[in-house]
Structures are given as structure tokens and as C-alpha cells.
DNA sequence: CTGAAAGCGCTTACAG
DNA sequence: CTGAAAGCGCTTACAG
């Protein structure tokens, strides 16, 4: 009568207890119509009594849908990726999907192939790659990996659907803000050039300077780390000491800006009186640095939501194409490209250009 | 001959192509002995040609093992949880397990029940909860959730196996360091008191002061955020202005220490000349603050590895207990409790106590 | 060393 | 409105 103990109850156990067939239990569990209210109640009682949970594995086998989505990321402890992942996670749960995450240790084709294999083994229905690096995008686009695949941050030209923050616009706004404060030009400490975000921010910086008729100084190439911000900051201090006018710096992320702030502080250079600093990311501590950092905020939650929606759309499109609702020979839809705006947050690390003492 | 296109190949397709039965394909795929080398080669060729991947769902159904482990976390964008999660992720992948992650929006019993349900629905074999909050641990221990369940950071007294960093020892070392520098006492800005880590750090601080025969000033209760560090810092500046001797502050995390640093800077108080500051976490930017922050580092990668090992041990123990290798009536093994040490990193924000100007 | 049979726990037509 | 049958793609004994 009662199910064998030590084994969790299955549909047949519920059916026996409720005095119906297991198909009827299935109907109740799946909310199908055409079940008598009284039967439903009896089945529900049996379910509650037994503590029955539908076996998702068996269900997945027959429906051919695992309800699992894969996420490929490079380093989920970084601010941006961590935020994006959290956004995707929330959106996925709300949409009834599970998430399987794999972090890459390196972006080599071999490393990427292994990660992709891991995901394929788990029969994910689709994937989102948080792929801000050039090499990673290239490897992903070439590997016969899971499809559909949506690229978050980067992936341009890969043929993959892309969701990203408008990095260039954010950088442009930051630099424009400094120009408007009277700075003749703006120096730049860039991120790791292997990252597409670094490239986009450089582009936005250049464009803003170009529009203002300002000459772009040689950018200092960092690697996102506070250490590199510090080191490039010291370089900048030297360049200033030799007479080069340095009055404003746009730094490609807040961590490097923190390093720069220390280098300037050590040299006795005041922010913003002597040099203005603008970062990127708006990390929680940005507002509480000394001085509070002007920076560019990205809406990662929205990036997460949008990328999940794009992936779900692709999944739907895949099903439709099997059903042949597109006329044969029609060109395939181009890969969508969704762009989330970035927003400048002005605080106290940026101020008017110092009056040159001639 | 070739499998129907539009459908991914199954074992039977490989079998047909290789001219063997599907059981033989299964043997090859699972590396069973007792297959002729020549047969293995022929099957392998068919697998490669077809691009066959074993269907993990079908496999899970028959083996009753999903190979999926669940992780419950509160906020994976926080430094500690993000690091711990990354450590678990890496360890799980190396052990051949997949990870399903659910982030809680709140630690209410209802929120926790929902998260647990999500994981149960996915038939996870076991769970790790990154559960640093009192309420969360309580809810987890009471809910008829997935078992085995390992609690990371906190969970003491819940009856669950626990893996955590030795917070109290880390705090003790930090305070002892300040005492050794000649400070008469050490003030404390605590974390959110709902968090067990906050409590442990307070305990370590108190113990170190007690051992030194110092009186513990009333702690300032923060909430981990840079903002609260700033606000409590201003409070401390006021107390100092009224004549209270404040020469050293142990702050429960680096983010609050950043806020404190700003509050001190605004008040013209020098660090470490006037006041020494020690944080907790060793975030990447700690070394590049002005001044570089003395803090306590936690080995999150090790926490991740250890917690996975404990979970795997529990899984093994569960199987053994079914096989009855323990004498009936023997008391169950007590829940293990593994503690990872914390390490003080001395930098420039801590220095000798100022000579009191009488 | 290899194959025919049974079954994992469901859902999906198909009858009635 | 409800049930008997078939089958999803594998693995696990059991034969040979």
C-alpha cells in the first residue's frame, strides 16, 4: 500500500494511493483540464501525503526538454560578470529554467571546447556566454557547441546574437563631461586590450576627443587590476612632472581608478583640484572613495534579463523553423544585437580644469 | 542508414552504423572492459562520424544519479560568496558534477522554501548552502529540503555539516596586531548582526581585547556597506572630538573600511599616524587604497574545495548507511565541522599608537 | 566478448 | 472524464 521505504515515491505510488491510474496523476500534476474536481482533490491529497515530487529526469527524457540553460563565463568573481550572472540567474528562475554554469580558466580553444563539452553533456537547451574577450568569442563561434548561443558583452562580428552595454557611449559621456569642465584633453588608462569592452571604451574616448577637436594623448594600457591602475598612475605622474599637461584622466574601470587615486595621492597631487578622475562600473565603494568617484554605471540586471529574453526568442525561433513557417529560400533573420545604455554618475573626483600657471 | 536529420544521433544510430548492438556501444562509451579492441575502434569511429553524445537524461533516469549538485546562496555578487561559489564550481567540475545555483532574494522561510523546492525539482543529489545568516541557516535546517546539505560559513548548531573560515581567529589576530603596536584599545565597526560572520568577528575582537586586559568600547554596528562604514566613521570622529581616545579601529570588512577611510580623511585625521585601521577580506583593491589597507585574507578557494569534499563524503556515507555497514543502534556520526584559517596581511594603514599629548 | 530483454518514471496519443 | 499501450534513450543483469 505505502511505497517501499527508502525510495522516494513515484507517480505509480500516488496513483495507487488515490485509486486512479498514473496518467490521471500526470494530468493533475501538469494541470490538464478534463479531470473531475473530486478526482483532482483525491490525487492532490495522495501527493501531499506521500510528499511526491515529479521526477524531472523522466519528464525531460520524454519531453526532450531539460529546462536547463548553460552559462559560460570567464571569471565570475569580477564585478561585471558577477552582476550579469546574477541578473541572468534571476531572469532564468522567473522563466522556469535552471542554470548550469561553467567558468573558464583560460580562453584557449581547448579550454573553451572543454567547457562547451561539459555543457553539451548536460543537455542544455541553449547557452549564454558572458564573453567579453576577443579570443573567447572567436573560440565560441568556431566550436560546434551548444546552440542557440547568445553572447553577452562582445561577440560582434561572430554571427551570434549579442547583448551588451553601450560601452562606447558611456566612455564618450565620461570624456565629454570632462571636456565640458574645461579640460583641453583627457588621458586614458585602458583595460586589458584583449577585452572588447576595453576596446569600446577606448573608441568612445577617442570619439569624444575628436568631436571636441582635442588631440588624444597616447593611452596607457592597463589590465583592469588595481595594481595596473597604480602603475599607470605613476607613469602619468612622471609624464606630468616632465611638463606634459595632465589635468583629466578617464580610467576604464573603477578598480584601476582606485590604484590611480593612490598614485596621485602619493605624489601630492589633489583630486579634482589638480587632476580630475573618472572611472567606469560604479562599484559600491565608488561613492565612498576619497574623493567620491565620478564613474559610469552599467545596468547589469537589465543585461541579464535582456540576454535571457533573446535566448528564449532564439529557442522559439528554432522550433518555428523546424515547423517551416518561413518560406523556403528566405534569408535567415540577422543575429539580433541589443544594446543597454550606460549612465554617467557625476561625483566629486571630477572638477573644472585648473587654471594653467604660465 | 544515416540517422534522420534534425534529430541528434542516439545510441541505436551509432550501433547501426558500427554494426553492433546498442549495448556494445554503451560498453564502449562507459569504458567497460571485455570489448574487443577492434570493436571498440569501429564503435568509436561511428561515434566520431555521427558526433554522438550520450544522452545524460536517459542515463540519469536509469542510474538514478543526476550528477547535479545544488548551491543555495544569498547574494553571489558579494565578495565572499562570489569567491566561495567560484571555488565550489571549480571543485565540482573537477569531480565530475554539474552545479545548479539558486540565489535567494530574501532569507524568509517562504523564500528559502521556494529555493529549496526549485532545487528538489531538479533532482539534485546534494546541496551546499552559502549561508552566512542566522535566519537562513535556521530556515534551511527546518525545511524538509534536499539532503545531504552542507552549510558554508555559519550553520553552527543547526546539526548540518559546516565548513567555514575561522573568523574569530582572524579578528583576534587583527586586534592583537594593533595591541602589539601599542594601542590601548581597539574600536570596532561590526558587520550586519544578522550575519554569523559579524558575530564571530565581534567575538574575536572581544577576546583579543580581554586577553590584553583592555576594555572593549561600545562597537558601532554597520551592515557591511561602504556607506555604513562612512557613517560609523563619522560617528567615531565625533566621539574622538569629545575627547574619547580613538587610536585604532578594526572594521569587519574592507568595504566599510573604505567608507571609514573617507570619513577620517574628510576630518583631516591621518591614517595610520592618528588612527590605525584594519579591515577584513583582502579585496583586490585593499592593497591599493591610500594608504594600503592592513586586512585579513580568507582562502575562499579552499573553502569551496573543502565544502565540496564534505558533501561528497556525506553522499558516500548515505550510500553506505543504506548498505547497513554501521551496527544498528550505533550513534550517527556527529556532523563534521571544518575550519579554514584566516591570515592577517599587514600593510600601511596600521602603525604605532600615537604618543598621547597630555 | 556480444546480444536480447527488462525497466528507470514519466508523457503522449489513442480508445472508450 | 479516465485508462491501457507505447516509447523517450539509456544501463543492468542475464544468456550464450
Amino acid at each position: 500500500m505505502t511505497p517501499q521505504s527508502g525510495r522516494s515515491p513515484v507517480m505509480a505510488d500516488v496513483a495507487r494511493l488515490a485509486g486512479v491510474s498514473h496518467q490521471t496523476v500526470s494530468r493533475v500534476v501538469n494541470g490538464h483540464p478534463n479531470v473531475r474536481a473530486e478526482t483532482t482533490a483525491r490525487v492532490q491529497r495522495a501527493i501531499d501525503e506521500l510528499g511526491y515530487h515529479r521526477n524531472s529526469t523522466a519528464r525531460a527524457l520524454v519531453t526532450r526538454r531539460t529546462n536547463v540553460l548553460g552559462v559560460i563565463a570567464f571569471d565570475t568573481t569580477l564585478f561585471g560578470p558577477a552582476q550579469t550572472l546574477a541578473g541572468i540567474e534571476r531572469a532564468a528562475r522567473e522563466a522556469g529554467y535552471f542554470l548550469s554554469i561553467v567558468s573558464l580558466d583560460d580562453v584557449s580553444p581547448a579550454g573553451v571546447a572543454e567547457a562547451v563539452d561539459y555543457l553539451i553533456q548536460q543537455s542544455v537547451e541553449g547557452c549564454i556566454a558572458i564573453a567579453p574577450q576577443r579570443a573567447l568569442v572567436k573560440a565560441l563561434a568556431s566550436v560546434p557547441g551548444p546552440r542557440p548561443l547568445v553572447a553577452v558583452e562582445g561577440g560582434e562580428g561572430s554571427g551570434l546574437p549579442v547583448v551588451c552595454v553601450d560601452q562606447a557611449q558611456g566612455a564618450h559621456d565620461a570624456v565629454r563631461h570632462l571636456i565640458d569642465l574645461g579640460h583641453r584633453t583627457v588621458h586614458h588608462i585602458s583595460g586589458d586590450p584583449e577585452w572588447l569592452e576595453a576596446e569600446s571604451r577606448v573608441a568612445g574616448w577617442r570619439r569624444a576627443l575628436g568631436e571636441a577637436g582635442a588631440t588624444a594623448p597616447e593611452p596607457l594600457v592597463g589590465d583592469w587590476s588595481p595594481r595596473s591602475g597604480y602603475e599607470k598612475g605613476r607613469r602619468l605622474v612622471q609624464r606630468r612632472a616632465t611638463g606634459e599637461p595632465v589635468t583629466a584622466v578617464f580610467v576604464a574601470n573603477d578598480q584601476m581608478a582606485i590604484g590611480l587615486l593612490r598614485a596621485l595621492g602619493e605624489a601630492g597631487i589633489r583630486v579634482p583640484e589638480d587632476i580630475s578622475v573618472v572611472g567606469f562600473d560604479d562599484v559600491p565603494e565608488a561613492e565612498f572613495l576619497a574623493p567620491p568617484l565620478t564613474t559610469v554605471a552599467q545596468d547589469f540586471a537589465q543585461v541579464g534579463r535582456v540576454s535571457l529574453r533573446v535566448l528564449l526568442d532564439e529557442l522559439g525561433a528554432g522550433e518555428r523553423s523546424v515547423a517551416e513557417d518561413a518560406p523556403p529560400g528566405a534569408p535567415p533573420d540577422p543575429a539580433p544585437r541589443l544594446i543597454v545604455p550606460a549612465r554617467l554618475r557625476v561625483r566629486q573626483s571630477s572638477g573644472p580644469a585648473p587654471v594653467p600657471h604660465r
Side-chain angles (χ1 to χ4, degrees), chain A residues 2-348:
Chain A
T2 54
Q4 212 179 315
S5 65
R7 168 170 81 63
S8 47
V10 299
M11 211 170 245
D13 298 319
V14 176
R16 212 173 305 128
L17 184 61
V20 297
S21 72
H22 73 275
Q23 285 95 320
T24 297
V25 177
S26 175
R27 291 193 184 94
V28 170
V29 167
N30 292 300
H32 279 207
N34 299 354
V35 181
R36 255 201 314 171
E38 203 244 316
T39 310
T40 302
R42 212 164 63 232
V43 169
Q44 193 56 55
R45 261 200 309 279
I47 287 174
D48 293 342
E49 183 170 330
L50 258 28
Y52 169 73
H53 285 277
R54 177 171 60 189
N55 181 318
S56 61
T57 303
R59 177 165 220 267
L61 180 59
V62 64
T63 60
R64 297 153 177 285
R65 298 203 41 199
T66 56
N67 253 275
V68 176
L69 263 21
V71 176
I72 301 175
F74 174 65
D75 181 350
T76 56
T77 68
L78 264 25
F79 181 72
Q83 299 285 332
T84 306
L85 180 58
I88 294 171
E89 197 269 335
R90 172 190 283 263
R93 187 144 40 97
E94 285 172 1
Y97 280 89
F98 304 111
L99 230 51
S100 185
I101 295 163
V102 50
S103 281
L104 296 166
D105 296 322
D106 62 295
V107 296
S108 70
V112 171
E114 190 186 340
V116 161
D117 200 61
Y118 176 85
L119 255 19
I120 288 179
Q121 277 191 31
Q122 211 188 154
S123 312
V124 297
E125 293 183 26
C127 271
I128 296 178
I130 305 176
Q133 288 143 302
R134 196 181 311 284
L136 179 47
V137 172
K138 196 184 279 182
L140 278 173
S142 68
V143 162
R147 290 290 185 283
L149 204 187
V150 174
V152 176
E153 292 305 332
E156 193 159 357
S158 61
L160 297 171
V162 169
V163 177
C164 64
V165 170
D166 197 339
Q167 308 288 346
Q169 168 251 316
H172 175 273
D173 291 358
V175 173
R176 178 59 198 260
H177 160 68
L178 291 165
I179 297 282
D180 287 348
L181 284 166
H183 296 274
R184 294 292 189 73
T185 190
V186 175
H187 285 69
H188 182 46
I189 299 178
S190 79
D192 183 335
E194 265 303 300
W195 291 53
L196 294 152
E197 286 162 86
E199 185 183 3
S200 302
R201 292 173 197 175
V202 168
W205 164 73
R206 270 193 209 288
R207 181 161 64 82
L209 290 182
E211 287 171 5
T215 324
E218 186 67 20
L220 294 117
V221 180
D223 65 5
W224 304 122
S225 73
R227 178 180 301 279
S228 79
Y230 176 68
E231 286 166 357
K232 301 309 162 192
R234 291 185 58 148
R235 192 77 57 82
L236 223 37
V237 167
Q238 286 169 1
R239 275 161 65 165
R240 182 172 180 271
T242 66
E244 181 176 337
V246 179
T247 69
V249 186
F250 167 55
V251 191
N253 77 345
D254 289 352
Q255 287 210 329
M256 291 194 296
I258 288 173
L260 169 63
L261 251 25
R262 172 170 160 214
L264 297 179
E266 284 181 357
I269 297 171
R270 297 162 306 166
V271 176
E273 293 81 355
D274 300 322
I275 291 187
S276 285
V277 173
V278 176
F280 209 108
D281 272 353
D282 196 23
V283 298
E285 44 272 65
E287 191 179 346
F288 296 94
L289 295 173
L293 187 66
T294 296
T295 186
V296 179
Q298 307 177 65
D299 188 345
F300 293 107
Q302 195 184 342
V303 170
R305 274 197 307 276
V306 171
S307 54
L308 192 83
R309 205 185 56 215
V310 171
L311 180 57
L312 262 28
D313 284 354
E314 296 281 316
L315 279 169
E319 279 169 20
R320 276 200 302 281
S321 87
V322 167
E324 299 179 61
D325 75 344
D333 283 351
R337 184 151 198 282
L338 279 106
I339 299 179
V340 176
R343 200 161 62 195
L344 180 69
R345 294 217 194 284
V346 177
R347 300 205 182 97
Q348 293 149 45

